[in-house]
Amino acid sequence: MTLGLLEKEYAVCRLYEPVLPGGEFVSLTMSAGEISLVCEAAAAPDVGAVERGWRGLRVAGVLDFSLVGILAALTSALAEAGIPVFAVSTYNTDYLFVKEENLGAALRALAAHGHRLADA
């Protein structure tokens, strides 16, 4: 699979009220028990639990709903390397977020399993 690296630092947040900042990538997920937000670290709210220092990888292209194993192929490579991941899926594709200090190791682990980073 080909992955694109999102340029900015991201934050993963647990909120008590929904907030929707702008940016290249924003994901707001609400369930009965929580509100989660992934956004550019610079735009992260000053409320709730905010963990900065994440980098994002986007699966290139639009993924058909009939495809299986996309996240499994990526996360198993990272799990094998001992790298924690925060995954977000959208209608078109999947995103993986890893801590900045794990980015180099994550890219090496993904490459070792045949995945590649798109040219910038």
Side-chain angles (χ1 to χ4, degrees), residues 12-99:
V12 176
C13 313
R14 183 182 65 227
L15 304 175
Y16 301 105
E17 296 290 329
V19 174
L20 193 57
E24 176 186 12
F25 177 90
V26 176
S27 177
L28 179 66
T29 305
M30 298 187 298
S31 69
E34 69 176 309
I35 301 171
S36 296
L37 171 70
V38 179
C39 65
E40 293 175 11
D46 292 328
V47 297
V50 177
E51 186 173 325
R52 289 176 170 78
W54 293 86
R55 294 298 306 274
L57 296 164
R58 179 187 188 281
V59 176
V62 176
L63 305 176
D64 188 89
F65 286 131
S66 65
L67 296 174
V68 296
I70 302 293
L71 279 177
L74 297 168
T75 58
S76 63
L78 297 174
E80 191 176 290
I83 299 170
V85 62
F86 189 90
V88 176
S89 293
T90 66
Y91 189 93
N92 285 339
T93 195
D94 296 318
Y95 292 80
L96 298 177
F97 292 86
V98 297
K99 292 297 281 194

Side-chain angles (χ1 to χ4, degrees), residues 1-4 57-61 74 93-94 114-119:
M1 249 167 284
T2 302
L3 303 164
L57 296 164
R58 179 187 188 281
V59 176
L74 297 168
T93 195
D94 296 318
H115 308 295
R116 70 179 196 88
L117 190 61
D119 297 329

